Structures are given as C-alpha cells and as structure tokens.
C-alpha cells in the first residue's frame, strides 16, 4: 500500500515542504535543525508515499539494531498532514514493522509529539501502535505547560520577585545576544549540576542563523550587567523555554520573573501554550519536586512526554 523511501539529502526540499504543512510538526523536524548533529546520529528518516503523493514522514536514526524516532530530538514519531487518516496509519505501521525487520532492526524506540504541539488532533500513531505493535511505555516525563489564556495566578514568591524586578530596575531585552547569555548558563549548570548545555554556543549560533524567527534569546539586565536569560523556541502556537539561567543577583531581583512577564503578557499574543520542559531523572522515575513546583508557581500543569518501545 505504501512505498517507503529512506531520506537522502536530495530530498531536503521535499521533506521540509511536507513538514511545513504537517499538523503535528515543529521546526525541530526541519533538516536544517536535525542535521546540525548529523555526525552523532546515523540518520534513517523515512518518507511514506501513497501512489505518487507523499503521505507522511518520520524523523529517525539507527542505534545498533534499534530504530529510534528520535533520540537526538525532544520528540519525533510520525509526522502527518491534514489528509492522513486513522485506517491508513494502522496499515502504515504494519508495513513499517515489516520494512524495519527487512532492514535488520530488532526493536523500535518511539517518541510521539506531545499533544500541545499539535495544530490539529494528531494521535493516529498512538492508536496504530496499540493495534499493530503492542508497545510498552518505557519512559514518561512530566513536562510543565501553561495554558496562557487561563491566567492562573502566580505563586506568592514569584509575585514578590517580580515586584523586586520592577523596583530594582531590571530591564528585559528581546532577541538579544546568545553569546552574552551562554557563559552565565554554562557556569550555572556546572555549579549546580556538574553538567553542560546540550548545545555548544557554536551550535546555537548556527541554529539561530538558520531559524532566526524561531529561536529567540531574552536577557535580563541591571544596568549593562546581564543577570539572567532564557532561550525560547517559538513553535507555532507553543513557546518553549529551551534554556534558562540566572546568577545570584538575578535570582534575588527577579530576572526570570521579569522575562516571563514580558513573554507571557506582552510579546507572544498568538501563542496558546508556554512549555517549561520536563522535571525528571531516570526516565521519569524520579521527580524533581523543587523544580516542578517552581514551574507550577507560574501557573503550569503537567503534560506527559512519553517514549514507547516494541520488539520486531
């Protein structure tokens, strides 16, 4: 029923054009984003044709004998446009499993796009997996998302720090310097978690050059001194905080609160959701209660980021 074709660079324009029309895609699936770390992942993305028409695409890579969709991205799975139907996706998953076995894969790791990123409902893949693949839920991460139109009140400590930001003269600059923010981010992650950002500053500057409107840096200052910042990904109706950090002065004077006030109530009226990301370790089996409480204090509530696995 379907012709399954593996992605090659010659198909870049075809791939990106389809992603632009899909109802469950973000710019993470554009090849300019996926391919910045192509040296770390053995790409095995797929295009599914029905007759002469491109029906769906799937960002994916090979990890030994595992087919993964996609461990280098926050989420992946089947990317679908408005014409895709449930019955067709059920048939597609049956054919996909046959194809993967023929390619020497033994198992599948599948990370569907969380529903808040759907432009229209797009969970045909979850139903098809249930019917055709009998997957197990391997990982469930709790992402904190604000429904911006709900206007839930901020927790008292956030309101207090916002008043401090106003009183201290904190200023917020939109689409500001990534390079100014990155040393603060790296120092904070190293001190608190002995960790580094997933992206280097060179990688982020490259991605920013490719996605100038989608990657936006907000920095907070006291005078000319940077005291905090947040790197946002603008994904249609969702604003996602990719990186956030502050120094001690910024934490005390409400740098984060000043930035969130600016983006939540002024700069992104077209956005429906603000996604703070996840607050877990060990695949969701440990909840960082302090971190998630901090996010919930802005009015956020949980949306699950799931990972499924099945054997072929």
């Amino acid at each position: 029923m379907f012709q399954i074709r593996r992605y090659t660079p010659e198909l870049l324009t075809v791939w990106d054009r389809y992603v632009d029309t899909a109802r469950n895609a973000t710019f993470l699936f554009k090849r300019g984003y996926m391919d910045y770390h192509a040296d770390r992942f053995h790409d095995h993305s797929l295009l599914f044709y029905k007759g002469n028409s491109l029906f769906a695409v799937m960002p994916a890579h090979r990890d030994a004998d595992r087919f993964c969709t996609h461990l280098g991205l926050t989420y992946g799975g089947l990317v679908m446009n408005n014409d895709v139907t449930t019955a067709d996706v059920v048939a597609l998953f049956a054919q996909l499993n046959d194809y993967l076995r023929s390619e020497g894969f033994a198992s599948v790791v599948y990370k569907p796009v969380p529903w808040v990123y759907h432009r229209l409902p797009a969970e045909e893949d979850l139903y098809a997996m249930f019917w055709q693949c009998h997957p197990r839920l391997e990982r469930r991460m709790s992402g904190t998302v604000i429904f911006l139109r709900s206007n839930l009140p901020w927790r008292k400590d956030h309101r207090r720090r916002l008043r401090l930001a106003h009183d201290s003269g904190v200023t917020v600059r939109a689409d500001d310097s990534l390079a100014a923010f990155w040393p603060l981010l790296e120092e904070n992650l190293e001190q608190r978690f002995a960790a580094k950002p997933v992206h280097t500053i060179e990688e982020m500057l490259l991605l920013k050059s490719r996605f100038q409107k989608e990657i936006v840096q907000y920095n907070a200052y006291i005078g000319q001194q940077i005291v905090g910042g947040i790197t946002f990904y603008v994904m249609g109706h969702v604003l996602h905080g990719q990186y956030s950090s502050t120094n001690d002065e910024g934490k005390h004077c409400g740098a984060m609160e000043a930035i969130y006030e600016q983006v939540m109530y002024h700069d992104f009226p077209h956005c429906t959701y603000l996604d703070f990301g996840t607050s877990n370790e060990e695949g969701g089996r440990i909840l960082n209660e302090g971190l998630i409480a901090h996010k919930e204090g802005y009015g956020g509530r949980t949306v699950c980021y799931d990972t499924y696995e099945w054997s072929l």
Side-chain angles (χ1 to χ4, degrees), residues 11-12 29 35 62 141 182 190 193 248 286:
L11 295 170
L12 184 151
F29 300 150
D35 293 343
R62 176 187 283 273
M141 309 287 279
W182 223 252
E190 176 63 33
F193 307 109
D248 290 340
I286 294 178

Side-chain angles (χ1 to χ4, degrees), residues 42-83:
H42 183 195
D43 190 84
H44 203 106
S45 299
L46 300 176
L47 298 90
F48 301 88
Y49 289 85
K50 189 176 181 182
N52 295 321
S53 299
L54 182 57
F55 178 80
V57 301
M58 185 176 288
H61 66 93
R62 176 187 283 273
D63 177 31
D65 63 354
R66 297 191 304 168
F67 178 79
C68 306
T69 75
H70 183 296
L71 299 185
L73 301 173
T74 309
Y75 40 74
L78 189 69
V79 179
M80 301 172 278
N81 67 17
N82 294 350
D83 297 326

Side-chain angles (χ1 to χ4, degrees), residues 2 17 23 26-27 34 38 55 71 78 91 108 110 139 160 169 192 217 222 224-225 230 247 262 271 282 307:
F2 295 97
R17 188 182 298 127
R23 57 186 151 109
T26 69
F27 78 89
M34 288 183 60
F55 178 80
L71 299 185
L78 189 69
V108 176
Y110 191 90
R139 176 183 294 242
R160 176 179 58 81
R192 294 182 62 192
Q217 180 65 37
I222 295 180
Q224 296 302 311
Q225 181 65 39
I230 305 177
N247 59 23
Q262 187 68 33
C271 284
E282 296 187 11
T307 300

Side-chain angles (χ1 to χ4, degrees), residues 26-43:
T26 69
F27 78 89
L28 300 189
F29 300 150
K30 301 293 282 288
R31 298 309 310 195
Y33 193 94
M34 288 183 60
D35 293 343
Y36 87 90
H37 53 18
D39 59 318
R40 289 178 241 164
F41 297 94
H42 183 195
D43 190 84

Side-chain angles (χ1 to χ4, degrees), residues 21-173:
T21 69
R23 57 186 151 109
N24 65 333
T26 69
F27 78 89
L28 300 189
F29 300 150
K30 301 293 282 288
R31 298 309 310 195
Y33 193 94
M34 288 183 60
D35 293 343
Y36 87 90
H37 53 18
D39 59 318
R40 289 178 241 164
F41 297 94
H42 183 195
D43 190 84
H44 203 106
S45 299
L46 300 176
L47 298 90
F48 301 88
Y49 289 85
K50 189 176 181 182
N52 295 321
S53 299
L54 182 57
F55 178 80
V57 301
M58 185 176 288
H61 66 93
R62 176 187 283 273
D63 177 31
D65 63 354
R66 297 191 304 168
F67 178 79
C68 306
T69 75
H70 183 296
L71 299 185
L73 301 173
T74 309
Y75 40 74
L78 189 69
V79 179
M80 301 172 278
N81 67 17
N82 294 350
D83 297 326
V84 173
T85 66
T86 303
D88 280 343
V89 175
V90 170
L92 183 151
F93 268 77
Q95 192 169 338
L96 170 65
N97 285 340
D98 289 338
Y99 164 84
L100 295 177
R101 282 188 285 265
S102 73
E103 290 290 313
F105 291 102
S107 63
V108 176
V109 179
Y110 191 90
K111 298 166 62 175
V113 181
W115 63 265
V116 292
Y117 288 94
H118 298 178
R119 182 171 54 83
L120 295 171
E123 294 187 340
E124 289 84 354
D125 57 342
L126 299 184
Y127 179 72
M129 278 195 302
F130 162 76
W131 188 350
Q132 296 286 2
C133 308
H134 310 294
R136 61 187 178 277
L137 180 61
E138 182 62 26
R139 176 183 294 242
R140 170 161 282 173
M141 309 287 279
S142 55
T144 305
V145 176
I146 293 176
F147 178 49
L148 292 171
R149 296 171 191 170
S150 67
N151 289 316
L152 290 180
W154 287 15
R155 198 172 59 197
K156 184 183 297 184
D157 62 323
H158 288 313
R159 298 198 304 269
R160 176 179 58 81
R161 280 195 289 267
L162 181 60
R163 289 193 297 270
L164 276 173
H166 294 163
D167 294 342
S168 302
V170 173
T171 58
V172 175
R173 300 181 191 173

